[in-house]
């Protein structure tokens, strides 16, 4: 019975995951198409709402298809209450669950991740704070960018 379920469920889940990732890529591409800032200006209006609602919903659905069910206890802090949201240890794909549950905030990510096909487009739609490991001033620039976004009074999304 387990083998039969594996033969049926594994390909079905893989197809659903691929479809959801490509759908997320499509929405991310639409939201960032011809955006003048490309990371230097926050997404506003319909672009920001599209990213927050569709990507959050698609990411939650993706994790449900993979077999994760997450319930939130308590109240998630709003952007004005907590412009910076800290998640630790920041080393696994569980960070994506936190991002989906908090409305797809900006994240701190390696600059190399932005050039990854499909996932790079999705990541860039979240307006990440890029960290370059080759740049010696990158750490200082990252702190400056996070501070700028935290003090923007709601213009930028939360930073995780």
């Amino acid at each position: 019975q387990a083998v039969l379920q594996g033969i049926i469920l594994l390909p079905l889940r893989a197809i659903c995951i691929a479809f959801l990732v490509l759908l997320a890529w499509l929405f991310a591409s639409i939201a960032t198409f011809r955006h003048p800032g490309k990371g230097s200006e926050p997404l506003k209006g319909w672009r920001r709402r599209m990213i927050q609602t569709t990507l959050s919903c698609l990411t939650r659905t993706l994790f449900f298809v993979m077999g994760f069910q997450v319930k939130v206890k308590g109240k998630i802090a709003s952007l004005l209450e907590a412009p910076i949201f800290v998640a630790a240890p920041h080393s696994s794909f569980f960070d994506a669950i936190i991002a989906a549950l908090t409305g797809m905030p900006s994240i701190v990510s390696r600059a190399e991740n932005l050039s990854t096909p499909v996932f790079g487009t999705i990541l860039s739609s979240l307006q990440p704070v890029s960290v370059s490991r080759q740049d010696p001033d990158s750490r200082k620039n990252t702190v400056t960018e996070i501070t700028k976004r935290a003090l923007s009074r709601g213009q930028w999304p939360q930073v995780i």
Side-chain angles (χ1 to χ4, degrees):
Q1 185 179 10
V3 172
L4 185 60
Q5 287 177 346
I7 292 171
I8 294 170
L9 280 180
L10 183 65
L12 186 61
R13 283 185 174 184
I15 290 169
C16 288
I17 289 168
F19 175 73
L20 289 169
V21 167
L22 289 176
L23 198 58
W25 171 80
L26 177 66
F27 281 114
S29 297
I30 291 170
T32 57
F33 181 70
R34 292 199 173 200
H35 183 254
K38 284 292 180 197
S40 61
E41 289 182 29
L43 291 175
K44 295 178 182 172
W46 67 269
R47 294 175 190 265
R48 187 168 178 178
R49 281 191 307 276
M50 177 184 261
I51 292 299
Q52 287 177 329
T53 56
T54 58
L55 284 187
S56 182
C57 181
L58 287 172
T59 305
R60 285 179 181 212
T61 306
L62 182 74
F63 280 108
F64 178 77
V65 167
M66 290 192 300
F68 293 96
Q69 294 180 1
V70 179
K71 291 185 179 181
V72 177
K73 292 184 179 183
K75 179 181 165 259
I76 297 173
S78 72
L79 171 62
L80 296 175
E81 291 173 326
I84 300 175
F85 186 82
V86 178
H90 186 64
S91 61
S92 68
F93 68 94
F94 290 113
D95 294 343
I97 294 174
I98 296 168
L101 294 174
T102 56
M104 304 310 281
S106 291
I107 59 174
V108 178
S109 177
R110 293 183 316 168
E112 297 86 20
N113 292 344
L114 295 173
S115 61
T116 306
V118 180
F119 290 106
T121 304
I122 296 169
L123 182 62
S124 66
S125 71
L126 299 178
Q127 300 180 294
V129 176
S130 299
V131 179
S132 174
R133 294 188 178 178
Q134 284 74 31
D135 183 11
D137 295 331
S138 183
R139 184 174 287 189
K140 185 180 89 171
N141 295 340
T142 301
V143 170
T144 303
E145 182 66 20
I146 290 172
T147 304
K148 178 183 98 172
R149 291 182 183 202
L151 298 175
S152 71
R153 295 197 174 136
Q155 289 184 342
W156 288 93
Q158 279 179 313
V159 178
I160 187 170

